[in-house]
Amino acid sequence: MHKRIIILLTAVLSFAAMRVNAQDPMFSQFYANPLYLNPAMAGTNICPRLSFNFRDQWPSMPGTFMTYAASYDEHFDKIYGGIGIQLWGDRAGEGGIVNMYNASFMYSFKVKVSKKFNLRLALQASYQNKSLDYTKLTFGDMIDPRYGFVYTTNEQMDKWMTSINTIDFSAGILGYTPHVYFGFAAKHLATLSLGNYTGYSFLNPASEGKFYDMLKLTAHVGANFDLKRKSKKETSFGDISISPNFIYEHQYGFNYFNEGLYFKFYPFTVGMWCRHGLTYHYDHNVPVLDPDGNPTVDDDGNAVVAQQVDKIYNSDAVIFMFGIEYDMFKIAYSYDLTVSKLASATTGGSHEVSLQLLLPCPKKRQAIKDLKCPSF
């Protein structure tokens, strides 16, 4: 029992550290949250689009992670592109110890390169608040050997920065043809802290008030192939298509590779993704050995050391998704099956739900060809 508790606490704390350092929460239904994936996706539906997303990470473990998002985007001919607005929040820890809230505005400029190839170039500005509710923290001096947490801590919380407000800027690019699409996004290119902070940041106690979001890079590519289609102008019941996809994400030393495939039998869509990670472990004090396997020493008799880099591969999760479309509604549910070492800790996987509302627009704007990519 004690071993199980230790495993659970270690897993939660390790993941919390990763989430805090890496800054940005993670979604598994990438294209159901298009503005979060890439700001250049703003306006790609041409008509108004509303998206709502909710994710519950590892619900069977204490201190679950909940993330929710809402966005709106639309294309406007007069400004030669699309605009998007997104709000998202992330709560980590029992009762919400660490909370993040973000509001973003983005504009994507559409460039018609040729008859069948379009580009969208986007800029994004975001306001973000990160806060720590230290009243929910527990410390060693609060524990009574017999009765548990009964004392008031002597920890001086005034030395901790419990709220941080920042403005940062991001950019993205998206290219697409009738069947193939690709994009690249760079988040947190420049970050400005609001306020003259003193003391220590709970995100980085050694920062002494200086806070910088970690650059996030995302590259994605995919294709959409019709296997059976009754009409070229509109989608009909029984139309069949497949869509292979690949997404790469890098942030704060973490590299995530996502390979997935969607199969669509309109109005139903099923999908499966595999997510795995790659991190690098640096050891700066590895002894240099001679041909006989003995440690090498310099002229002063000191051991010669060098840096060694180890690649660590980690299979994270297999993602299963089911979605359905009806009229202006698109709704989907996905489940992340944990396949990493944490699988033995009974995480409960991850549950994600999305809803999109595709609102009508003038016929003139409907004539503009939109991006043909997955909805979920």
Side-chain angles (χ1 to χ4, degrees):
M1 182 66 179
H2 293 294
K3 183 178 180 180
R4 176 178 172 82
I5 293 175
I6 292 174
I7 293 175
L8 293 177
L9 290 177
T10 302
V12 172
L13 291 175
S14 299
F15 188 74
M18 185 274 285
R19 286 286 290 271
V20 168
N21 285 322
Q23 303 307 320
D24 296 342
M26 182 182 295
F27 286 93
S28 293
Q29 294 183 36
F30 306 98
Y31 292 99
N33 197 351
L35 305 191
Y36 190 82
L37 175 67
N38 188 339
M41 300 286 282
T44 52
N45 186 62
I46 308 301
C47 299
R49 172 174 54 188
L50 292 169
S51 301
F52 304 92
N53 311 83
F54 173 76
R55 178 179 177 84
D56 189 0
Q57 179 90 20
W58 298 353
S60 298
M61 301 181 70
T64 186
F65 303 86
M66 292 188 179
T67 309
Y68 35 90
S71 64
Y72 152 81
D73 70 295
E74 183 177 355
H75 177 88
F76 293 93
D77 295 338
K78 292 183 178 180
I79 60 175
Y80 305 101
I83 64 169
I85 300 172
Q86 183 170 61
L87 306 173
W88 62 259
D90 184 66
R91 188 183 71 177
E94 196 85 30
I97 297 176
V98 178
N99 300 280
M100 294 192 292
Y101 300 99
N102 182 287
S104 299
F105 175 82
M106 57 209 74
Y107 167 71
S108 69
F109 177 72
K110 184 179 180 182
V111 181
K112 188 174 181 62
V113 180
S114 67
K115 185 178 180 180
K116 294 186 177 181
F117 180 55
N118 294 280
L119 280 177
R120 282 185 180 266
L121 311 174
L123 293 175
Q124 174 180 324
S126 303
Y127 165 80
Q128 188 161 280
N129 171 265
K130 299 180 176 69
S131 62
L132 169 70
D133 186 353
Y134 67 85
T135 61
K136 293 184 172 67
L137 297 177
T138 54
F139 300 91
D141 60 355
M142 300 170 63
I143 304 175
D144 182 274
R146 183 175 181 180
Y147 299 104
F149 289 91
V150 296
Y151 302 124
T152 301
T153 182
N154 292 318
E155 181 71 26
Q156 297 180 0
M157 296 307 301
D158 56 354
K159 72 177 182 180
W160 293 82
M161 186 194 309
T162 56
S163 182
I164 298 173
N165 299 287
T166 60
I167 292 178
D168 69 42
F169 301 92
S170 307
I173 184 172
L174 178 70
Y176 54 97
T177 71
H179 298 290
V180 179
Y181 45 89
F182 61 90
F184 177 80
K187 300 287 186 72
H188 315 304
L189 286 171
T191 301
L192 173 66
S193 296
L194 301 179
N196 184 20
Y197 297 118
T198 58
Y200 293 88
S201 163
F202 69 90
L203 296 174
N204 183 2
S207 65
E208 296 184 355
K210 298 178 181 179
F211 175 76
Y212 303 96
D213 274 316
M214 299 300 173
L215 177 67
K216 178 182 179 181
L217 303 176
T218 301
H220 57 96
V221 61
N224 188 76
F225 301 107
D226 292 322
L227 303 181
K228 176 185 176 183
R229 192 174 180 89
K230 299 177 182 178
S231 172
K232 292 183 178 181
K233 294 184 178 181
E234 59 183 8
T235 305
S236 306
F237 179 83
D239 286 352
I240 302 174
S241 64
I242 59 171
S243 180
N245 285 269
F246 172 77
I247 297 175
Y248 165 73
E249 297 173 296
H250 167 82
Q251 192 172 31
Y252 196 72
F254 292 88
N255 301 275
Y256 284 101
F257 301 87
N258 304 272
E259 302 92 13
L261 178 70
Y262 295 100
F263 177 81
K264 186 174 183 178
F265 183 92
Y266 186 82
F268 307 104
T269 300
V270 293
M272 187 176 76
W273 288 79
C274 294
R275 180 171 59 232
H276 50 98
L278 169 64
T279 58
Y280 294 90
H281 174 71
Y282 296 89
D283 191 341
H284 299 277
N285 298 303
V286 178
V288 177
L289 304 180
D290 61 21
D292 297 326
N294 300 314
T296 304
V297 297
D298 57 22
D299 295 338
D300 298 326
N302 299 317
V304 178
V305 296
Q307 175 179 280
Q308 178 176 304
V309 181
D310 294 323
K311 295 182 179 180
I312 303 174
Y313 294 93
N314 176 40
S315 296
D316 181 39
V318 177
I319 305 163
F320 302 94
M321 189 279 302
F322 174 79
I324 186 170
E325 306 175 35
Y326 178 74
D327 195 16
M328 56 184 286
F329 297 94
K330 294 183 178 182
I331 186 169
Y333 166 78
S334 63
Y335 176 74
D336 293 17
L337 176 65
T338 304
V339 295
S340 67
K341 294 179 180 179
L342 293 178
S344 61
T346 314
T347 65
S350 299
H351 304 272
E352 192 169 321
V353 179
S354 67
L355 170 66
Q356 292 188 59
L357 302 179
L358 307 181
L359 305 179
C361 64
K363 292 184 178 180
K364 180 180 178 181
R365 206 184 303 168
Q366 289 178 350
I368 303 176
K369 291 185 178 180
D370 58 350
L371 170 63
K372 300 298 182 182
C373 75
S375 303
F376 311 106

